Amino acid sequence: MRRPFSYGNIGGEVCQKERALSLRLKDLGEFGLIQRIQEGCLVKPERVLQGIGDDAAVLHAGGDHLLLASTDMLVEGIHFTLETATPFEIGYKAVAVNISDIAAMGGIPLEILISVGLYPDQEVEFVDELYRGMKTCCRLYGVNIIGGDTVASPRAVIVNVAILGRVEAGAVLYRSTARPGDVILVTGDLGASAAGLDILLNPKPVDAEVAARLRKRHFRPTPRVEETRAAVEAGGLTAADDISDGLAREIKEIASASGVGALLYGEQIPISPDVREAAAAYGKDPLDYALFGGEDFELLWTCRPEAVEEIRRAVAARCGTPVTVIGEIVPAAEGVNLRYQGCRRPLLKGGYTHFAQP
C-alpha cells in the first residue's frame, strides 16, 4: 500500500487520502478532464450561447453577428520537435489550427493573441522565424495579431494562440445539431498529415517529391474558411467539426453531441495517391491514416440530402476544393459504424487524445 498523504489541516484535523485511490489524468483522458471541469464555469451564462464543448465558444456581440473565441496550444515534444520542424513551420501551424476552429463554426477569423514560452538562451533568429510563420498565415487569412505574452520556459518551447472571429447569428455551425437522414461530407482529402508525420519521425524510402508534399500538409494545413462560407451561403448544413484528432474521433464527437449515430462509407473516404504511396512504404492500410491520423484540419459537415449538390457546386466554384459524401447520420440506437470491404462494423475510437495511457 502506498504511503498516505495530506491535503491539509481542516478544522484542526489532517485530511488523509490514500494515493492509491487518486484518479490520474491518464485514467481520465483529455475529454474526461474537459467534462470534469465544465461544471460551474459559466458565472454569467446569459452572455454565452455555446461554452466548452465545441470548436469555439459562441458569445453574444450585439447586432446581427455573434463573437467566436477559441484557443490552441502547441508544446514541444507533444505537437512538434525542434529536430523535425522549422520555427517558421511551428508558427504557421499554430495560427492555422486556430483559424480552422473558426472555420468549423461557419465564421470569419478576425484577431489573435499569441503567448509563447521560450528557452532563455534561445537564439533571437528562432523567434524571428517563429513570428514570420505566424505573420505569413495571418496575412493569408486577414487576421491581426493584437497582443499576447512572452515568458521563459526552461523545459519546452510553447506556443499558445487565442483567436476571435465572427459569424452571422443564423449561420453558426455546431457539433450538436446533426439529424438522422443527414448526409456526411468532408472537404479535401484525409490522412496526409499523419503520413507526413511518419516520414518525419521514421524515414523510409518514399519518393522525395511525395515526402515533401506530405511534410507540407503536416506543417502547413489549409484552414477551410472560404469553403465554409460558400457552404453556409449555399444552405443546408446542419453540423460541423474540423478534423484535428482524426475522422473517427470527430464523427463520434458529432454523434455524441447530437444524440445520433453515424455510418461511414470506407471506400468513399478521399485519400490522395501520396498517402497511398506512404501507406505502402509503412505497411499500413491508407484508411488508417484517414480515420485515425488526425491534424488534417479538413472540415467534417452534415447536411440535408437535398443540399448536397448545391454545397459541392458552391465550394468548387469559389475554392476549387472537392467535397465528398462519406456517410450518413442514423438514429442513435444504430451506433457509429464503418462500412468497408463488404462488412459493417463498429468504428473504433482511435484518434489522438492527450493524457491517454501509452
Side-chain angles (χ1 to χ4, degrees), residues 226-227 229-231 233-234 309-323:
E226 286 301 314
E227 287 83 350
R229 300 301 298 169
E233 290 168 14
E309 291 310 314
E310 181 59 23
I311 289 170
R312 295 175 73 175
R313 185 206 62 76
V315 173
R318 184 182 296 192
C319 312
T321 304
V323 175

Side-chain angles (χ1 to χ4, degrees), residues 80-92:
F80 63 88
T81 71
L82 299 184
E83 290 74 34
T84 58
T86 68
F88 178 96
E89 290 169 332
I90 297 166
Y92 188 101

